[in-house]
Coordinates of all heavy atoms in Angstrom, one line a residue:
M1391 N 0.9 -1.2 0.0 CA 0.0 0.0 0.0 C 0.9 1.2 0.0 O 1.6 1.5 1.0 CB -0.9 0.0 1.2 CG -1.9 1.1 1.3 SD -3.0 1.0 2.7 CE -4.1 -0.3 2.2
I1392 N 0.9 2.0 -1.1 CA 1.8 3.1 -1.3 C 1.0 4.4 -1.3 O -0.1 4.5 -2.0 CB 2.6 3.0 -2.6 CG1 3.5 1.7 -2.5 CG2 3.5 4.2 -2.8 CD1 4.2 1.3 -3.8
N1393 N 1.4 5.4 -0.6 CA 0.7 6.7 -0.5 C -0.8 6.6 -0.3 O -1.6 7.1 -1.1 CB 1.0 7.5 -1.7 CG 2.5 7.9 -1.8 OD1 3.2 8.1 -0.8 ND2 2.9 8.1 -3.0
P1394 N -1.2 5.9 0.8 CA -2.6 5.7 1.0 C -3.3 7.1 1.4 O -2.7 7.9 2.1 CB -2.7 4.8 2.2 CG -1.4 5.0 3.0 CD -0.4 5.3 1.9
T1395 N -4.5 7.3 0.9 CA -5.3 8.5 1.2 C -6.7 8.0 1.6 O -7.3 7.3 0.8 CB -5.3 9.4 0.0 OG1 -4.0 9.8 -0.5 CG2 -6.1 10.7 0.3
I1396 N -7.1 8.5 2.7 CA -8.4 8.1 3.1 C -9.4 9.1 2.4 O -9.3 10.3 2.7 CB -8.6 8.2 4.7 CG1 -7.7 7.2 5.3 CG2 -10.1 8.0 5.1 CD1 -7.5 7.4 6.8
I1397 N -10.2 8.6 1.5 CA -11.0 9.5 0.7 C -12.4 9.6 1.2 O -13.1 10.6 0.9 CB -11.0 9.0 -0.8 CG1 -11.4 7.6 -0.9 CG2 -9.7 9.2 -1.4 CD1 -11.6 7.1 -2.3
S1398 N -12.9 8.7 2.0 CA -14.1 8.9 2.7 C -14.2 8.0 4.0 O -13.4 7.1 4.1 CB -15.3 8.6 1.8 OG -15.3 7.2 1.5
H1399 N -15.1 8.3 4.8 CA -15.3 7.5 6.0 C -16.7 7.6 6.6 O -17.3 8.6 6.4 CB -14.3 7.9 7.1 CG -14.3 9.3 7.5 ND1 -15.3 9.8 8.4 CD2 -13.6 10.4 7.1 CE1 -15.1 11.1 8.5 NE2 -14.1 11.5 7.8
L1400 N -17.1 6.6 7.3 CA -18.4 6.8 8.1 C -18.1 7.7 9.3 O -16.9 7.8 9.7 CB -18.8 5.4 8.6 CG -19.3 4.4 7.7 CD1 -19.8 3.2 8.4 CD2 -20.3 4.9 6.7
D1401 N -19.1 8.4 9.8 CA -18.9 9.4 10.9 C -18.6 8.6 12.2 O -18.1 9.2 13.1 CB -20.1 10.3 11.0 CG -20.1 11.4 9.9 OD1 -19.0 11.7 9.3 OD2 -21.1 11.9 9.6
E1402 N -19.1 7.4 12.2 CA -19.0 6.6 13.5 C -17.6 6.3 13.8 O -16.8 5.8 13.0 CB -19.8 5.3 13.3 CG -19.9 4.5 14.5 CD -20.6 3.1 14.3 OE1 -21.0 2.9 13.2 OE2 -20.6 2.3 15.2
T1403 N -17.2 6.6 15.0 CA -15.9 6.2 15.5 C -16.0 5.2 16.7 O -17.1 5.1 17.3 CB -15.1 7.4 16.0 OG1 -15.8 8.0 17.0 CG2 -14.9 8.4 14.8
E1404 N -14.9 4.6 17.0 CA -14.9 3.6 18.1 C -13.5 3.7 18.7 O -12.5 3.7 18.0 CB -15.2 2.2 17.5 CG -15.3 1.1 18.6 CD -15.7 -0.2 18.0 OE1 -15.0 -0.8 17.2 OE2 -16.9 -0.6 18.3
K1405 N -13.5 3.7 20.1 CA -12.3 3.7 20.8 C -11.7 2.2 20.8 O -12.5 1.3 21.0 CB -12.4 4.2 22.2 CG -12.4 5.7 22.3 CD -12.3 6.1 23.8 CE -12.5 7.6 23.9 NZ -12.4 7.9 25.4
G1406 N -10.4 2.1 20.6 CA -9.8 0.7 20.8 C -8.3 0.9 21.2 O -7.7 2.0 21.0
W1407 N -7.8 -0.1 21.8 CA -6.4 -0.1 22.3 C -5.4 0.0 21.1 O -5.6 -0.8 20.2 CB -6.1 -1.3 23.1 CG -6.8 -1.2 24.5 CD1 -7.7 -2.0 25.0 CD2 -6.4 -0.3 25.5 NE1 -8.1 -1.6 26.2 CE2 -7.3 -0.6 26.6 CE3 -5.4 0.7 25.7 CZ2 -7.2 0.1 27.8 CZ3 -5.4 1.4 26.9 CH2 -6.3 1.1 28.0
E1408 N -4.4 0.8 21.2 CA -3.3 0.8 20.2 C -2.0 0.9 21.0 O -1.9 1.5 22.1 CB -3.5 2.0 19.3 CG -4.7 1.9 18.4 CD -4.7 2.9 17.3 OE1 -3.7 3.5 16.9 OE2 -5.9 3.1 16.8
G1409 N -1.0 0.4 20.4 CA 0.3 0.6 20.8 C 1.2 0.8 19.5 O 0.7 0.7 18.4
C1410 N 2.5 1.1 19.7 CA 3.3 1.4 18.6 C 4.8 1.3 18.9 O 5.2 1.7 20.0 CB 3.0 2.8 18.2 SG 3.9 3.4 16.7
L1411 N 5.5 0.7 18.0 CA 7.0 0.6 18.2 C 7.6 2.0 18.3 O 8.7 2.1 18.9 CB 7.6 -0.2 17.1 CG 7.2 -1.7 17.0 CD1 7.8 -2.3 15.8 CD2 7.6 -2.4 18.2
S1412 N 7.0 3.0 17.8 CA 7.6 4.4 17.9 C 7.3 5.0 19.2 O 8.0 6.0 19.6 CB 6.9 5.3 16.8 OG 7.2 4.8 15.5
V1413 N 6.4 4.4 20.0 CA 6.1 4.9 21.4 C 6.1 3.7 22.4 O 5.1 3.2 22.8 CB 4.7 5.6 21.4 CG1 4.5 6.4 22.7 CG2 4.5 6.5 20.2
P1414 N 7.3 3.2 22.6 CA 7.4 1.9 23.4 C 6.9 2.1 24.8 O 7.1 3.2 25.4 CB 8.9 1.6 23.4 CG 9.6 2.8 23.1 CD 8.6 3.6 22.2
G1415 N 6.3 1.1 25.4 CA 5.9 1.1 26.8 C 4.5 1.7 27.1 O 4.1 1.8 28.3
I1416 N 3.8 2.2 26.1 CA 2.6 2.9 26.3 C 1.5 2.4 25.4 O 1.7 2.0 24.3 CB 2.7 4.5 26.0 CG1 3.7 5.1 27.0 CG2 1.4 5.2 26.1 CD1 4.0 6.6 26.8
R1417 N 0.3 2.2 26.0 CA -0.9 1.9 25.2 C -2.0 3.0 25.4 O -2.0 3.7 26.4 CB -1.5 0.6 25.7 CG -0.5 -0.6 25.5 CD -0.4 -1.1 24.1 NE 0.4 -2.3 24.0 CZ 0.2 -3.4 23.3 NH1 -0.9 -3.4 22.5 NH2 1.0 -4.3 23.2
G1418 N -2.8 3.1 24.4 CA -3.8 4.1 24.5 C -5.1 3.7 23.9 O -5.1 2.9 23.0
Q1419 N -6.3 4.2 24.4 CA -7.5 4.1 23.8 C -7.7 5.2 22.8 O -7.8 6.4 23.1 CB -8.7 4.2 24.8 CG -8.8 3.0 25.8 CD -9.7 2.0 25.2 OE1 -10.5 2.2 24.3 NE2 -9.6 0.8 25.8
V1420 N -7.7 4.8 21.5 CA -7.7 5.8 20.4 C -9.0 5.7 19.6 O -9.4 4.6 19.1 CB -6.6 5.5 19.4 CG1 -6.4 6.5 18.3 CG2 -5.2 5.4 20.2
P1421 N -9.7 6.8 19.4 CA -10.9 6.8 18.6 C -10.5 6.8 17.1 O -9.7 7.5 16.6 CB -11.6 8.1 18.9 CG -10.5 9.0 19.4 CD -9.5 8.1 20.0
R1422 N -11.1 5.9 16.4 CA -10.9 5.7 14.9 C -12.2 5.5 14.2 O -13.2 5.0 14.7 CB -10.0 4.5 14.6 CG -8.6 4.5 15.2 CD -7.7 5.5 14.5 NE -6.3 5.3 15.0 CZ -5.3 6.1 14.7 NH1 -5.5 7.1 13.9 NH2 -4.1 5.9 15.2
Y1423 N -12.3 5.9 12.9 CA -13.4 5.7 12.1 C -13.6 4.2 11.9 O -12.6 3.4 11.7 CB -13.3 6.3 10.7 CG -13.2 7.8 10.8 CD1 -12.1 8.5 10.3 CD2 -14.3 8.5 11.3 CE1 -12.1 9.8 10.4 CE2 -14.3 9.9 11.4 CZ -13.1 10.6 10.9 OH -13.1 11.9 11.0
R1424 N -14.8 3.7 12.1 CA -15.1 2.2 11.9 C -15.0 1.8 10.5 O -14.7 0.6 10.3 CB -16.5 1.9 12.5 CG -16.5 1.8 14.0 CD -17.6 1.0 14.5 NE -17.5 -0.3 13.9 CZ -18.6 -0.9 13.3 NH1 -19.7 -0.3 13.1 NH2 -18.4 -2.1 12.7
E1425 N -15.3 2.7 9.6 CA -15.2 2.3 8.2 C -14.6 3.4 7.3 O -15.0 4.5 7.5 CB -16.6 1.9 7.6 CG -16.5 1.4 6.2 CD -17.9 1.0 5.7 OE1 -18.5 0.1 6.3 OE2 -18.3 1.6 4.7
I1426 N -13.6 3.1 6.5 CA -12.9 4.0 5.6 C -12.8 3.5 4.2 O -12.7 2.3 4.0 CB -11.5 4.4 6.2 CG1 -10.6 3.1 6.3 CG2 -11.6 5.1 7.5 CD1 -9.2 3.4 6.7
E1427 N -12.7 4.4 3.3 CA -12.4 4.0 1.9 C -11.1 4.7 1.6 O -10.8 5.9 1.8 CB -13.5 4.5 0.9 CG -13.2 4.1 -0.5 CD -14.3 4.5 -1.5 OE1 -15.1 5.3 -1.1 OE2 -14.3 3.9 -2.6
V1428 N -10.1 3.8 1.1 CA -8.8 4.3 0.9 C -8.4 4.2 -0.6 O -8.7 3.2 -1.2 CB -7.8 3.4 1.8 CG1 -6.4 3.8 1.6 CG2 -8.2 3.5 3.2
E1429 N -7.7 5.2 -1.1 CA -7.1 5.1 -2.4 C -5.6 4.9 -2.2 O -5.0 5.7 -1.4 CB -7.4 6.3 -3.2 CG -7.0 6.2 -4.7 CD -7.4 7.4 -5.6 OE1 -8.6 7.3 -6.0 OE2 -6.6 8.3 -5.7
Y1430 N -5.0 4.0 -2.9 CA -3.5 3.8 -2.7 C -3.0 3.1 -4.0 O -3.7 2.5 -4.7 CB -3.3 2.8 -1.5 CG -3.9 1.4 -1.6 CD1 -3.1 0.4 -2.1 CD2 -5.2 1.2 -1.3 CE1 -3.6 -0.9 -2.2 CE2 -5.7 -0.1 -1.3 CZ -4.9 -1.1 -1.8 OH -5.4 -2.4 -2.0
G1431 N -1.7 3.3 -4.1 CA -1.0 2.6 -5.2 C -0.4 1.3 -4.8 O -0.1 1.1 -3.5
D1432 N 0.0 0.4 -5.7 CA 0.7 -0.7 -5.4 C 2.1 -0.7 -6.1 O 2.4 0.3 -6.7 CB 0.0 -2.0 -5.8 CG -0.2 -2.2 -7.3 OD1 0.5 -1.6 -8.1 OD2 -1.2 -2.9 -7.7
R1433 N 2.9 -1.7 -5.8 CA 4.3 -1.6 -6.3 C 4.4 -1.7 -7.9 O 5.5 -1.4 -8.4 CB 5.1 -2.8 -5.7 CG 4.6 -4.1 -6.1 CD 5.4 -5.2 -5.3 NE 4.7 -6.5 -5.5 CZ 5.3 -7.6 -5.2 NH1 6.5 -7.6 -4.9 NH2 4.6 -8.7 -5.3
H1434 N 3.3 -2.0 -8.5 CA 3.3 -2.0 -10.0 C 2.8 -0.7 -10.6 O 2.6 -0.5 -11.8 CB 2.4 -3.2 -10.5 CG 2.9 -4.5 -10.0 ND1 4.1 -5.1 -10.3 CD2 2.3 -5.3 -9.1 CE1 4.2 -6.2 -9.7 NE2 3.2 -6.4 -8.9
G1435 N 2.4 0.3 -9.7 CA 1.9 1.6 -10.1 C 0.4 1.6 -10.3 O -0.1 2.6 -10.8
N1436 N -0.3 0.5 -10.0 CA -1.7 0.5 -10.2 C -2.4 1.2 -9.0 O -1.9 1.1 -7.9 CB -2.2 -0.9 -10.2 CG -1.7 -1.7 -11.4 OD1 -1.7 -1.2 -12.6 ND2 -1.1 -2.9 -11.1
I1437 N -3.5 1.9 -9.3 CA -4.2 2.6 -8.2 C -5.4 1.8 -7.8 O -6.1 1.2 -8.6 CB -4.7 4.0 -8.7 CG1 -3.5 4.8 -9.1 CG2 -5.6 4.7 -7.6 CD1 -2.5 5.2 -8.0
H1438 N -5.6 1.7 -6.5 CA -6.7 0.9 -5.9 C -7.6 1.7 -5.1 O -7.1 2.7 -4.5 CB -6.2 -0.3 -5.1 CG -5.3 -1.2 -5.9 ND1 -5.8 -2.4 -6.5 CD2 -4.0 -1.3 -6.1 CE1 -4.7 -3.0 -7.1 NE2 -3.6 -2.3 -6.8
R1439 N -8.9 1.3 -5.0 CA -9.8 1.9 -4.0 C -10.4 0.7 -3.2 O -10.9 -0.2 -3.9 CB -10.9 2.7 -4.6 CG -10.5 4.1 -4.9 CD -11.8 4.9 -5.3 NE -11.3 6.2 -5.7 CZ -12.2 7.3 -5.7 NH1 -13.4 7.1 -5.4 NH2 -11.7 8.5 -6.1
Q1440 N -10.3 0.8 -1.9 CA -10.8 -0.3 -1.1 C -11.4 0.2 0.2 O -10.9 1.1 0.8 CB -9.6 -1.2 -0.8 CG -10.0 -2.6 -0.3 CD -8.8 -3.5 -0.2 OE1 -7.7 -3.3 -0.8 NE2 -8.9 -4.6 0.5
V1441 N -12.5 -0.5 0.6 CA -13.1 -0.2 1.9 C -12.6 -1.1 3.0 O -12.4 -2.3 2.8 CB -14.6 -0.3 1.8 CG1 -15.3 -0.2 3.1 CG2 -15.2 0.7 0.8
F1442 N -12.2 -0.5 4.1 CA -11.7 -1.3 5.2 C -12.6 -1.0 6.4 O -13.1 0.1 6.6 CB -10.3 -1.0 5.6 CG -9.3 -1.2 4.5 CD1 -8.9 -0.2 3.7 CD2 -8.8 -2.5 4.3 CE1 -8.0 -0.4 2.6 CE2 -7.9 -2.7 3.3 CZ -7.5 -1.7 2.4
T1443 N -12.8 -2.1 7.3 CA -13.7 -1.9 8.4 C -13.0 -2.3 9.7 O -12.0 -3.1 9.6 CB -15.0 -2.7 8.3 OG1 -14.7 -4.0 8.1 CG2 -15.8 -2.2 7.1
D1444 N -13.5 -1.8 10.8 CA -13.1 -2.3 12.2 C -11.6 -2.4 12.4 O -10.9 -1.4 12.1 CB -13.8 -3.6 12.5 CG -15.3 -3.5 12.4 OD1 -15.8 -2.5 13.0 OD2 -16.0 -4.3 11.8
F1445 N -11.0 -3.5 12.8 CA -9.6 -3.6 13.2 C -8.7 -3.2 12.0 O -7.7 -2.5 12.2 CB -9.3 -5.0 13.7 CG -7.9 -5.1 14.2 CD1 -7.5 -4.4 15.3 CD2 -7.0 -6.0 13.7 CE1 -6.2 -4.5 15.9 CE2 -5.7 -6.1 14.2 CZ -5.3 -5.4 15.3
V1446 N -9.0 -3.7 10.8 CA -8.1 -3.4 9.7 C -8.2 -1.9 9.4 O -7.2 -1.2 9.1 CB -8.4 -4.2 8.4 CG1 -7.5 -3.8 7.3 CG2 -8.3 -5.7 8.7
A1447 N -9.3 -1.3 9.4 CA -9.5 0.2 9.3 C -8.7 0.9 10.3 O -8.1 1.9 10.0 CB -11.0 0.6 9.4
R1448 N -8.7 0.4 11.6 CA -7.8 1.0 12.6 C -6.3 1.0 12.3 O -5.7 2.0 12.4 CB -8.1 0.3 14.0 CG -7.2 0.7 15.1 CD -7.6 0.1 16.4 NE -9.0 0.4 16.7 CZ -9.4 1.6 17.3 NH1 -8.5 2.5 17.6 NH2 -10.6 1.9 17.5
I1449 N -5.9 -0.2 11.8 CA -4.5 -0.3 11.4 C -4.1 0.7 10.2 O -3.1 1.4 10.3 CB -4.2 -1.8 11.0 CG1 -4.3 -2.7 12.1 CG2 -2.7 -1.8 10.4 CD1 -4.3 -4.1 11.8
V1450 N -5.0 0.8 9.2 CA -4.7 1.6 8.1 C -4.7 3.1 8.6 O -3.8 3.8 8.2 CB -5.7 1.4 7.0 CG1 -5.6 2.5 5.9 CG2 -5.6 0.0 6.4
Q1451 N -5.6 3.5 9.5 CA -5.5 4.9 10.0 C -4.3 5.1 10.8 O -3.7 6.2 10.7 CB -6.8 5.1 10.8 CG -8.1 5.2 9.9 CD -9.3 5.2 10.8 OE1 -9.8 6.2 11.2 NE2 -9.9 4.1 11.0
H1452 N -3.9 4.2 11.6 CA -2.7 4.3 12.4 C -1.5 4.5 11.5 O -0.7 5.4 11.8 CB -2.6 3.1 13.3 CG -1.3 3.0 14.2 ND1 -1.4 3.0 15.5 CD2 0.0 2.9 13.8 CE1 -0.2 3.0 16.0 NE2 0.7 2.9 15.0
E1453 N -1.3 3.6 10.5 CA -0.2 3.7 9.7 C -0.2 4.9 8.8 O 0.9 5.5 8.5 CB -0.1 2.4 8.8 CG 0.1 1.1 9.7 CD 1.3 1.1 10.6 OE1 2.2 1.9 10.4 OE2 1.2 0.4 11.6
A1454 N -1.4 5.3 8.2 CA -1.5 6.5 7.4 C -1.1 7.7 8.3 O -0.5 8.7 7.7 CB -2.9 6.7 6.8
D1455 N -1.4 7.7 9.5 CA -1.0 8.8 10.5 C 0.5 9.0 10.5 O 1.0 10.1 10.5 CB -1.5 8.6 11.9 CG -2.9 9.3 12.1 OD1 -3.5 9.9 11.2 OD2 -3.5 9.0 13.2
H1456 N 1.2 7.8 10.6 CA 2.7 7.9 10.6 C 3.2 8.7 9.4 O 4.2 9.4 9.6 CB 3.3 6.5 10.6 CG 3.3 5.8 11.9 ND1 4.1 6.3 12.9 CD2 2.7 4.7 12.5 CE1 4.0 5.5 14.0 NE2 3.1 4.6 13.7
L1457 N 2.6 8.5 8.2 CA 3.1 9.2 7.0 C 2.9 10.7 7.1 O 3.6 11.4 6.4 CB 2.3 8.6 5.8 CG 2.5 7.2 5.5 CD1 1.6 6.7 4.4 CD2 4.0 6.8 5.2
N1458 N 2.0 11.1 8.0 CA 1.8 12.5 8.3 C 2.4 13.0 9.5 O 2.1 14.1 10.0 CB 0.3 12.8 8.3 CG -0.3 12.5 6.9 OD1 0.2 13.0 5.8 ND2 -1.4 11.7 6.8
G1459 N 3.3 12.2 10.2 CA 4.0 12.6 11.4 C 3.2 12.6 12.6 O 3.5 13.2 13.7
I1460 N 2.0 11.8 12.6 CA 1.1 11.7 13.8 C 1.3 10.4 14.4 O 1.3 9.3 13.6 CB -0.3 12.0 13.3 CG1 -0.4 13.4 12.8 CG2 -1.3 11.7 14.5 CD1 -1.7 13.7 12.0
V1461 N 1.4 10.2 15.7 CA 1.4 9.0 16.4 C 0.1 8.9 17.3 O -0.5 9.9 17.5 CB 2.7 8.7 17.2 CG1 3.9 8.5 16.3 CG2 2.9 9.9 18.2
F1462 N -0.2 7.6 17.7 CA -1.5 7.5 18.4 C -1.7 8.3 19.6 O -2.8 8.7 20.0 CB -1.7 6.0 18.6 CG -1.0 5.4 19.9 CD1 -1.6 5.4 21.1 CD2 0.3 4.9 19.8 CE1 -0.9 5.0 22.3 CE2 1.0 4.5 20.9 CZ 0.4 4.5 22.1
V1463 N -0.6 8.7 20.3 CA -0.8 9.5 21.5 C -1.3 10.9 21.2 O -1.9 11.5 22.0 CB 0.6 9.6 22.3 CG1 0.9 8.2 22.9 CG2 1.7 10.2 21.5
D1464 N -1.1 11.3 19.9 CA -1.7 12.5 19.5 C -3.2 12.5 19.3 O -3.9 13.5 19.2 CB -1.1 13.0 18.1 CG 0.4 13.2 18.2 OD1 0.9 13.8 19.2 OD2 1.2 12.8 17.3
R1465 N -3.7 11.3 19.2 CA -5.2 11.0 18.9 C -6.0 10.7 20.1 O -7.2 10.7 20.0 CB -5.3 9.9 17.9 CG -4.7 10.1 16.5 CD -5.7 10.9 15.6 NE -5.2 11.0 14.3 CZ -5.6 11.9 13.4 NH1 -6.5 12.8 13.8 NH2 -5.2 11.9 12.2
V1466 N -5.4 10.4 21.3 CA -6.2 10.1 22.4 C -7.0 11.4 22.9 O -6.5 12.5 22.7 CB -5.4 9.5 23.6 CG1 -4.7 8.2 23.2 CG2 -4.4 10.5 24.1
E1467 N -8.2 11.1 23.4 CA -9.0 12.3 23.7 C -8.6 12.9 25.1 O -8.8 14.1 25.4 CB -10.5 11.8 23.9 CG -11.1 11.5 22.5 CD -12.5 10.9 22.6 OE1 -12.9 10.5 23.7 OE2 -13.1 10.8 21.5
T1468 N -8.0 12.1 26.0 CA -7.6 12.5 27.3 C -6.4 11.7 27.7 O -6.3 10.5 27.3 CB -8.7 12.4 28.3 OG1 -8.2 12.6 29.6 CG2 -9.5 11.1 28.2
T1469 N -5.5 12.2 28.5 CA -4.4 11.5 29.0 C -4.8 10.3 29.9 O -4.1 9.3 30.1 CB -3.5 12.3 29.9 OG1 -4.2 13.0 30.9 CG2 -2.7 13.4 29.0
R1470 N -6.1 10.3 30.4 CA -6.7 9.2 31.2 C -6.8 8.0 30.3 O -7.0 6.9 30.8 CB -8.0 9.6 31.8 CG -7.9 10.5 32.9 CD -9.3 10.7 33.6 NE -10.3 11.3 32.7 CZ -10.6 12.6 32.8 NH1 -10.1 13.4 33.6 NH2 -11.5 13.0 31.9
D1471 N -6.8 8.2 28.9 CA -6.9 7.0 28.0 C -5.5 6.4 27.7 O -5.4 5.5 26.8 CB -7.6 7.4 26.7 CG -9.1 7.6 26.9 OD1 -9.6 7.0 27.9 OD2 -9.7 8.3 26.0
L1472 N -4.5 6.9 28.4 CA -3.1 6.4 28.2 C -2.7 5.6 29.4 O -3.0 6.0 30.5 CB -2.1 7.5 28.0 CG -2.2 8.3 26.7 CD1 -1.2 9.5 26.8 CD2 -1.8 7.4 25.5
V1473 N -2.1 4.4 29.2 CA -1.6 3.5 30.3 C -0.3 3.0 30.0 O 0.1 3.0 28.8 CB -2.6 2.4 30.6 CG1 -4.0 2.9 31.0 CG2 -2.7 1.4 29.4
T1474 N 0.4 2.5 31.0 CA 1.7 1.9 30.7 C 1.4 0.5 30.1 O 0.3 -0.1 30.3 CB 2.5 1.7 32.0 OG1 1.8 0.8 32.9 CG2 2.8 3.1 32.6
E1475 N 2.4 -0.1 29.5 CA 2.3 -1.5 29.0 C 1.9 -2.5 30.1 O 1.0 -3.3 29.9 CB 3.6 -1.9 28.4 CG 3.6 -3.3 27.8 CD 2.7 -3.5 26.5 OE1 2.5 -2.5 25.9 OE2 2.2 -4.6 26.3
Q1476 N 2.5 -2.3 31.3 CA 2.1 -3.2 32.5 C 0.7 -3.0 32.9 O 0.0 -4.0 33.1 CB 3.0 -2.8 33.7 CG 4.4 -3.3 33.6 CD 5.2 -2.9 34.8 OE1 5.1 -1.9 35.4 NE2 6.2 -3.8 35.2
E1477 N 0.2 -1.8 33.0 CA -1.2 -1.6 33.3 C -2.1 -2.2 32.2 O -3.1 -2.8 32.5 CB -1.5 -0.1 33.4 CG -0.9 0.6 34.6 CD -1.0 2.1 34.6 OE1 -0.9 2.7 33.5 OE2 -1.2 2.7 35.7
Y1478 N -1.7 -2.0 30.9 CA -2.5 -2.6 29.8 C -2.6 -4.1 29.9 O -3.7 -4.7 29.8 CB -1.9 -2.2 28.5 CG -2.4 -2.9 27.3 CD1 -3.6 -2.5 26.8 CD2 -1.7 -3.9 26.6 CE1 -4.2 -3.2 25.7 CE2 -2.2 -4.6 25.6 CZ -3.5 -4.2 25.1 OH -4.0 -4.9 24.0
Q1479 N -1.4 -4.8 30.2 CA -1.5 -6.2 30.4 C -2.4 -6.7 31.4 O -3.1 -7.6 31.3 CB 0.0 -6.8 30.6 CG 0.9 -6.6 29.4 CD 0.4 -7.3 28.1 OE1 -0.3 -8.3 28.2 NE2 0.7 -6.8 27.0
K1480 N -2.5 -5.9 32.6 CA -3.4 -6.2 33.6 C -4.9 -6.1 33.2 O -5.7 -6.9 33.4 CB -3.2 -5.3 34.9 CG -2.0 -5.7 35.7 CD -1.9 -4.8 36.9 CE -0.5 -4.8 37.5 NZ -0.3 -3.7 38.5
L1481 N -5.1 -4.9 32.5 CA -6.5 -4.7 32.0 C -7.0 -5.7 31.0 O -8.1 -6.2 31.2 CB -6.5 -3.3 31.3 CG -6.4 -2.1 32.2 CD1 -6.2 -0.8 31.3 CD2 -7.7 -1.9 33.0
I1482 N -6.2 -6.1 30.1 CA -6.7 -7.1 29.1 C -6.8 -8.5 29.7 O -7.5 -9.4 29.2 CB -5.9 -7.1 27.8 CG1 -4.4 -7.5 28.0 CG2 -6.0 -5.8 27.1 CD1 -3.7 -7.9 26.8
S1483 N -6.0 -8.8 30.8 CA -6.1 -10.1 31.4 C -7.4 -10.2 32.2 O -7.9 -11.3 32.4 CB -4.9 -10.4 32.2 OG -4.8 -9.6 33.3
V1484 N -7.9 -9.1 32.7 CA -9.2 -9.1 33.4 C -10.4 -9.3 32.5 O -11.3 -10.0 32.8 CB -9.3 -7.8 34.2 CG1 -10.7 -7.7 34.9 CG2 -8.2 -7.8 35.3
D1485 N -10.3 -8.7 31.3 CA -11.4 -8.7 30.4 C -11.8 -10.1 30.0 O -11.1 -10.9 29.6 CB -11.1 -7.9 29.1 CG -11.2 -6.4 29.4 OD1 -11.7 -6.1 30.6 OD2 -10.8 -5.6 28.6
Ligands
ZN1434 ZN1 2.7 3.0 14.9

């Protein structure tokens, strides 16, 4: 997926846990669009349009943000939505 551009999205967002190798030791609840339509190129120069939903839509939004210098901690609504990796591991083991 080369130069992805989110060309449309549903207004509905959902918070979900994210982490990132660029921000080690921290996890956060990040709001993302549940459904996005993305235009991107492939390695052969072909242009594609594809709809992604839920977890895959979250990944594409996270990675597309990187291309624009944005990391997930920039997207959390409040610092209360940030936890350490240790706290995160406790939280998901209870669920
Ligand atoms: Zn990342």
